[in-house]
Amino acid sequence: MPFRNFKIIYRRYAGLYFCICVDVNDNNLAYLEAIHNFVEVLNEYFHNVCELDLVFNFYKVYTVVDEMFLAGEIRETSQTKVLKQLLMLQSLE
Amino acid sequence: MLAGSRPGVGKAATSRRLAPLCSPSPGKSKEAEIKRINKELANIRSKFKGDKALDGYSKKKYVCKLLFIFLLGHDIDFGHMEAVNLLSSNRYTEKQIGYLFISVLVNSNSELIRLINNAIKNDLASRNPTFMGLALHCIANVGSREMAEAFAGEVPKILVAGDTMDSVKQSAALCLLRLYRTSPDLVPMGDWTSRVVHLLNDQHLGVVTAATSLITTLAQKNPEEFKTSVSLAVSRLSRIVTSASTDLQDYTYYFVPAPWLSVKLLRLLQCYPPPEDPAVRGRLTECLETILNKAQEPPKSKKVQHSNAKNAVLFEAISLIIHHDSEPNLLVRACNQLGQFLQHRETNLRYLALESMCTLASSEFSHEAVKTHIDTVINALKTERDVSVRQRAVDLLYAMCDRSNAQQIVAEMLSYLETADYSIREEIVLKVAILAEKYAVDYAWYVDTILNLIRIAGDYVSEEVWYRVIQIVINRDDVQGYAAKTVFEALQAPACHENLVKVGGYILGEFGNLIAGDPRSSPLVQFNLLHSKFHLCSVPTRALLLSTYIKFVNLFPEVKPTIQDVLRGDSQLRNADVELQQRAVEYLRLSTVASTDILATVLEEMPPFPERESSILAKLKKKKGPSTVTDLEDTKRERSVDVNGGPEPAPASASSTPSPSADLLGLGAAPAAPTGPPPSSGGGLLVDVFSDSASAAAPLAPGSEDNFPQRAFPKHPRISAGGSEFVCKNNGVLFENQLLQIGLKSEFRQNLGRMFIFYGNKTSTQFLNFTPTPVPRCGLDSLTRTHLNLQTKPVDPTVDGGAQVQQVVNIECVSDFTEAPVLNIQFRYGGTFQNVSVQLPITLNKFFQPTEMSSQDFFQRWKQLSNPQQEVQNIFKAKHPMDTEITKAKIIGFGSALLEEVDPNPANFVGAGIIHTKTSQTGCLLRLEPNLQAQMYRLTLRTSKETVSQRLCELLSQQF
C-alpha cells in the first residue's frame, strides 16, 4: 500500500491491478475488500471476466463502477442487488 | 486466474465494432496505431459533418469510438455536440453513451453546459428510475459548479420524496454529497436535513450505506444539525453487529455482516464526542466490546476476505475508541488486540497494527499498554522483511517514546540506522534527533547521541539537525564544556564527516576556551586539529572554519600569529571563491587593526537563540505531511516537559532594537562599557548588554553569518517557560503564543533599571486597542508600601499584522521586594478580546552591584553578619550538571562579584555585592559549597537584612 498525498490501495488479479485512491485516514482494509467485492461483481457479470472483456465493454465497466461507487463513496455493497440492477439495464439494450 | 477469454453475454455489438480499431494496438508499432486512429478519426469527422443526418444508432457508435480512442490516450476535440444530442434519446444505450462521454470528457463550453443541464433536468423529472439514475450519476461524476447551481435545490427533494425508488435514493444521496463537497455554499440546508438523518433507519441497507456517507460529511461541517444521527447510528450499528451472519443476506460479505456499512457508521460516530445519553453510550460500548470479542473468535472462514472484512470493522472500531479516548478499559483491550496483530503473518495486519498503535500511544490511558510491546516492535525493526512495515515500527517507537524508555529507543534506532533502508534514513535521523532533545535527561547524553548520529549517518544529517545541536549547546550553558570536550575528541578520528567538522568548528569557536586548560586540548592543538580537516572540506564549511579561527583570535590571543599566517596564505587571500576570500581579507584586517576590547565585542560568544519550535520537528512535519505528525506532536508536547525553555534573547532585529550604544547613553546614569568582559570568562551572561553588538557588528564582515544557524531558522511559536531563567539574564523571549510574542531587553544600574519590551504581532491581522500595562504587585508582607516604581508610556493602540512595537519601562526599586511585577496586556484580535498576563522578570538581584574585596575583608564582614536572622542557608540537590565554569558564570550573571582565592577551599564559590534600593543599600555575602559526590549544593547568604537574604537565597537556589 504505497502512499502519496492520498494513499493508493491496490490489489492485483493476474495481470491487472485495481487501484483506489483514498484519503490517508480512510480504512485500508475496507477499501481493499471493496476492490474484491467489485471484482467479484465483474466476474459474475461477465461470466469469468478477463482483460479483454473489460477493454471491449469499457462502457459497461463504467456502469458497474457507478452502481458500486459514486461521488467517491461506496454506494452499494450487495452483489445481488448490483447484479440485478445491471441485468435490468442490460435488458434495455 | 481470471485469464482465458470467453465470449460472454456482455459482448454485444459494440465490441465487434471496436475490434478492428484496437486490433493493431497491442503489440505492433506505435506508428501503425496512430495511423489507424487518425484514419478512424477522419472517418468519424466526415460522418458527423456529412450532409446525411445520422440516426441514433450510428451516432452512438461513433461517439463510443471517440471515447474509446480517448481512453487509449489520444486527444479528442470534437463530438461533444453529438454526445449531447444522444442525451435526449429515449433509448437507454444511446443515452448511456451520451452521459458517459460527457462525464469523461467534461467540457466547459457554456452553450454545451446549458444543453447538458437541460437534458439532465428532463431526465430527473422523467420519473423513469433508470434515466434518473443516469442523470444523477452524471452530476455526481462531473460535480461542476454550474451543475451545483442548477441542481442543488432539486436533488434533496428527490432524495427525501416518499415515492423515490431505493436505487435512485442511493444515487441522489451521493450526488448531493458530491455537490456539497464542491460547492457547500450552494446546497441549502432545510427541512430535508432531518429527513435525511432518518434514512439511517431505512429498510434498504444500500440506502443506509449511501446516506451514511452523506450524513458523515454534512455532520463534520454542521455537527449541531445532525446530532440526532448519533443515536440512530448507534442503534443501527448495534443491530448489525449483533445479527447472525445470515440475517442480512445480501449484505453479508464472507460471513461478516455489512462490513462497509459498519465502517461508515463508526466513522460517522467519530464526528462526535462520546454520546451523553447513558443509554446510547452503554449501547455503543456494548457494540465496541462485541466487535473486540469477535476478533478473538475463531474465524468462520479461512478466506482472507473474511478476515479482512472483520478486521476492517475492528480497526475502525479501534479508531473510534481512540477518538473517544474516554474508556480506559476499551483502549487497553484495543491495544492488546493490536499487540497480537504485531506478530501476525499477514503483512497488512502488522502494518496496520503498528499504525493504529501510534495513535494509541498518544492517549494517556493506553500509553503504558503500548509501551509493553516495545520489545516486539524493536524486534520488528530488526527482522521485518517489508520496508514499509519497518518504517511504521520506527514511527511507533517514536510515538511510544517517553522519558522512561528514551535511552533504549534512541539506542535501538541508532543501531538500526546502520543497516536501515536508504529511503528512510533521513527520517530516522530526524526522529532520533528530536527524541534525544526532547527526552534528554542530561545534555551530555544528548550531545553524545547527536555526534553518534553524525558518525553513523553523516550524509543523512540535514542542516537542521546540526543547527539544532548548536542552538541547544549555546542555549544551555551547563553542557558547553562537555560539548567542547566531546567534539574535540570526536574530531580526532582520522576520517570524520563534514557535518562533524561543522559542529566541531562552531562549538570550539564558541567554547573552545572551556577545554583550553587541558594541555592535550590547548588552543594550538585545537586549532591544528580543525585546520587539518580544513582542506578536505567544502566551501561553506571552510567559510565556517574561518569564522572559527577569528573567534580563536579573540579567545586565545596566543594563537593569533598562527591564525594570521593561515589567513594570509595565498590559498585564503587569493581563493577563487569570493566568500572565502572576503572572509580571509576581512578577518585578517580585523585581527590586525582592532583592539582587544573591540575584538572581544565583535567576536563575543553568540547570544542564546530564541526558543522556537524545533526546526527538526518542522522538517519532519514537512516530510510526513501535516496530518500525520502534528496531532501526535501536539498532544505529546503538552505532556512533555519543555526541555529547553532556556533563556532567550529579544527578537533579534537590528531594525527594532536601538543600537547598543544608544541604549547605554539612554540609561543616563550608566558610564560607558563597564570594565569590558574578560575575553576568556566563557560567560555570555555577563555581557548581555552587548549581545546585540554581535549582530550590529555584522556589517564588518558581510555574509559572514550566513553559515550560522540564526539566519537559517524561521520563527516558530514556542511557549517560553519564563520565570527563573531570567534571574541571571536580562534578555530573551518572555512569552509567546499563537498571536503574540513578547521579547525583553533590560539594563540595571544601582536601584534603577530600564526595560525594553517588544511586542510582536505574529498574525497577519491588526491588533486593536492594544494596551500593555506593567503593574507592580505588592507582597503580602506589606500592602501599603510600594517597592517598585514602574513608569511607562502607553504604546500605539494598533499593532499591524507582522509588526513589532516597543515599550520602554523605567524601573525604580524603592525597597527590597519579593513579588515580581506583572505585565497585563489586553487587545482585540479579530472580534475577540484577548487578555494576557505574564510576570515580568524583575527580581531583587537585578539591583545588585558587585563588590570586590580581599579574603581578609570578606571574612571580617562575614563574622560581622553573624546574627542568626541575617543568615539564610539552603541545601539542595543540583538540577543541572555541576560545572565550575558555568556556576561561576551564573554567580556573575546573578549580579554579585565572584571572589577568587577567598575561600580556603578552592571548590567553593564566594561572592559579594550590594543590593541598591532607593531607601537603603544592603551588603550581601554569599557562599556556595558544591558537593560533587552527593550532587548537592549548600548555599549560605549573609546580608544585613533578613528579607533580602531570604529572597536572594530563593532566587539563586533555583539556578543550580
Side-chain angles (χ1 to χ4, degrees), chain B residues 561-631:
Chain B
T562 323
I563 286 171
Q564 283 177 330
D565 282 346
V566 169
L567 291 175
R568 215 175 277 132
D570 274 357
S571 54
Q572 316 309 340
L573 272 192
R574 293 173 192 222
N575 195 296
D577 185 87
V578 181
E579 174 68 29
L580 288 183
Q581 197 187 70
Q582 185 171 9
R583 284 193 188 207
V585 173
E586 282 170 356
Y587 290 166
L588 183 60
R589 193 79 193 127
L590 181 67
S591 69
T592 335
V593 297
S595 69
T596 4
D597 278 358
I598 293 180
L599 270 185
T601 311
V602 173
L603 303 172
E604 184 47 58
E605 189 178 295
M606 295 300 282
F609 291 93
E611 214 35 72
R612 316 137 159 151
E613 175 185 19
S614 157
S615 52
I616 313 176
L617 205 54
K619 171 143 181 158
L620 186 64
K621 279 183 191 166
K622 208 163 78 191
K623 224 175 137 49
K624 298 277 279 185
S627 56
T628 43
V629 185
T630 346
D631 301 342

Side-chain angles (χ1 to χ4, degrees), chain A residues 1 3 11-14 24-34 36-37 39-40 43 46-53 55-60 62-63 66-67 70-81 85 88-90 92-93, chain B residues 1-2 4-6 9-11 14-15 18 22 64 67-68 71 92-93 96-97 100 104 130 137 140-141 167 170-171 174 177-178 181 204 206 209 213 250-251 253-254 260 263-264 267 304-305 308-309 311-312 315-316 348 351-352 355 627:
Chain A
M1 291 176 229
F3 289 70
R11 206 159 178 165
R12 205 186 79 161
Y13 293 88
V24 251
N25 47 9
D26 271 326
N27 190 311
N28 295 302
L29 288 175
Y31 284 101
L32 189 65
E33 279 320 302
H36 186 76
N37 199 21
V39 172
E40 283 192 359
N43 201 33
F46 291 110
H47 299 281
N48 207 349
V49 69
C50 77
E51 196 182 329
L52 287 178
D53 291 327
V55 173
F56 291 139
N57 297 291
F58 70 92
Y59 60 95
K60 289 188 183 164
Y62 272 107
T63 311
D66 278 347
E67 284 299 318
L70 194 62
E73 298 287 340
I74 294 172
R75 177 179 176 275
E76 179 57 84
T77 62
S78 156
Q79 296 186 11
T80 336
K81 291 224 166 61
Q85 176 77 2
M88 190 276 283
L89 293 176
Q90 182 136 23
L92 294 174
E93 288 195 7
Chain B
M1 81 190 116
L2 295 174
S5 160
R6 207 178 289 172
V9 191
K11 290 187 121 192
T14 323
S15 63
L18 286 170
C22 53
C64 192
L67 192 52
F68 188 80
L71 292 175
Y92 167 74
T93 44
Q96 194 244 336
I97 296 293
L100 186 56
V104 175
T130 311
H137 291 183
N141 286 328
S167 73
Q170 283 172 280
S171 303
L174 293 173
L177 169 58
R178 175 65 197 259
R181 279 197 183 134
H204 189 288
T209 305
S213 291
D250 300 355
Y251 289 89
Y253 178 81
Y254 289 90
W260 294 283
V263 166
K264 282 189 182 191
R267 294 216 133 221
V304 67
Q305 283 80 12
N308 275 350
N311 291 329
F315 276 110
E316 205 57 58
N348 281 341
Y351 179 95
L352 292 170
E355 193 181 56
S627 56

Side-chain angles (χ1 to χ4, degrees), chain B residues 102-141:
Chain B
I102 285 159
S103 308
V104 175
L105 283 114
V106 184
N107 191 295
S108 51
N109 178 317
S110 58
E111 178 58 15
L112 270 180
I113 287 172
R114 204 180 53 77
L115 289 172
I116 295 168
N117 281 356
N118 221 4
I120 293 177
K121 192 163 272 167
N122 289 337
D123 281 335
L124 286 183
S126 70
R127 311 187 66 80
N128 174 333
T130 311
F131 291 175
M132 285 172 91
L134 282 177
L136 287 169
H137 291 183
C138 178
I139 303 174
N141 286 328

